[in-house]
Amino acid sequence: MELAERLIMNSRSHADFELLDHKTCRSICDAVGERLQQSLRPETSLTSQLQHLLDELRRREEDSLH
């Protein structure tokens, strides 16, 4: 593929992405995250440090929504 074709394709994908509003992007990310959680269930429990980091991430995400 020539450079010009790649640049056109890249600009199209960026333009298409810009058409998605924040709410739509958030919904897509949430859906992908839920599917990954279902598919990649850990077989063992998380380390306390990792659990702490995940809890902190959830707290910060909730704070940013309010």
Side-chain angles (χ1 to χ4, degrees):
M1 184 180 308
E2 291 183 28
L3 178 61
E5 290 177 56
R6 284 186 291 198
L7 290 173
I8 290 170
M9 288 180 69
N10 283 340
S11 67
R12 282 185 192 153
S13 63
H14 289 298
D16 292 343
F17 178 76
E18 291 173 4
L19 294 176
L20 296 175
D21 60 279
H22 176 74
K23 185 176 179 180
T24 303
C25 289
R26 184 76 250 161
S27 296
I28 292 169
C29 290
D30 289 345
V32 169
E34 288 173 16
R35 293 290 298 267
L36 284 172
Q37 286 179 345
Q38 292 171 0
S39 299
L40 303 174
R41 293 255 185 238
E43 294 180 15
T44 60
S45 61
L46 301 175
T47 64
S48 61
Q49 177 63 19
L50 185 53
Q51 185 61 53
H52 171 73
L53 291 172
L54 286 172
D55 292 342
E56 180 67 16
L57 180 62
R58 284 187 192 105
R59 185 189 64 76
R60 288 182 184 201
E61 186 176 71
E62 288 173 3
D63 288 349
S64 70
L65 295 176
H66 299 290

